[in-house]
Amino acid sequence: TTQSRHADLQTAGSHPILDRRDFLSKAAYAILGAGGVGSMIAWTRFAVPNVPYGKPFRFALGKSDLFRVGTTTWIGDHDVFVRRDIHGFGVFSSKCTHLGCTIKKTADGFICPCHGARYDDRGGIIHGPTTKPLPWYHIWIESDGVLWIDKQTRVINRTSFPKIVV
Ligand code: FES
């Protein structure tokens, strides 16, 4: 009986050790597995071209003669304002450069409803929290009179109104 009690104690004593080893090896496999999944995700991201699919960046804004001289028209589908004056057309973003809310037109410029940023009528900053003016985009008119925009190409100098001959 002493022998069998000794055997019981040995057996009972060895279980927690085995359990811990078993747990540790399972945890190691889990960590290795998670690392492997992470690597797979990283590899998949690397293998996929970094090109934004979805909305095109070149598109027609409409017949140019629909935009009257002296107006600024919001085109919500494309998040831009089309401005036309006696010099021609200009198109700039209607997304606040702070965190991307859609700005609203005011009597003398634009205001962001989210945190109160204000822009002048050409997208220059009147006050923050934003630190960047509204971007203007490259535009052109095709021979059929339709106004086009390329949102990947920005017009750098917003202070000289981008002109196109019409
Ligand atoms: Fe326009 Fe914050 S998103 S002020």
Side-chain angles (χ1 to χ4, degrees):
T1 54
T2 315
Q3 254 184 346
S4 76
R5 194 179 304 146
H6 183 67
D8 283 351
L9 285 173
Q10 264 190 339
T11 312
S14 67
H15 272 284
I17 294 165
L18 280 177
D19 285 350
R20 199 178 311 139
R21 278 196 192 137
D22 196 33
F23 170 77
L24 287 175
S25 70
K26 277 180 181 158
Y29 279 121
I31 289 164
L32 285 174
V37 170
S39 308
M40 289 258 297
I41 290 167
W43 187 86
T44 308
R45 280 178 56 91
F46 178 73
V48 174
N50 188 20
V51 175
Y53 295 107
K55 278 191 176 181
F57 50 84
R58 279 171 174 239
F59 43 83
L61 291 171
K63 283 286 227 182
S64 56
D65 54 9
L66 294 178
F67 302 99
R68 285 180 293 118
V69 173
T71 59
T72 299
T73 309
W74 182 50
I75 302 186
D77 285 353
H78 298 306
D79 301 316
V80 293
F81 282 103
V82 177
R83 177 184 160 120
R84 186 177 186 186
D85 67 14
I86 54 168
H87 303 295
F89 292 84
V91 179
F92 54 95
S93 174
S94 61
K95 290 280 186 195
C96 180
T97 55
H98 179 227
L99 292 176
C101 292
T102 299
I103 56 172
K104 307 281 177 222
K105 206 167 164 332
T106 62
D108 55 354
F110 301 91
I111 187 166
C112 178
C114 291
H115 313 104
R118 293 187 72 101
Y119 303 88
D120 65 25
D121 63 347
R122 294 183 181 200
I125 300 167
I126 295 176
H127 70 72
T130 189
T131 56
K132 291 184 204 142
L134 300 172
W136 291 63
Y137 302 110
H138 174 61
I139 53 173
W140 69 99
I141 294 178
E142 292 283 350
S143 55
D144 59 1
V146 173
L147 179 66
W148 279 76
I149 180 174
D150 175 358
K151 275 184 104 174
Q152 271 199 329
T153 309
R154 294 190 175 186
V155 179
I156 294 167
N157 186 1
R158 70 171 179 84
T159 53
S160 71
F161 189 61
K163 301 177 185 80
I164 54 173
V165 179
V166 288

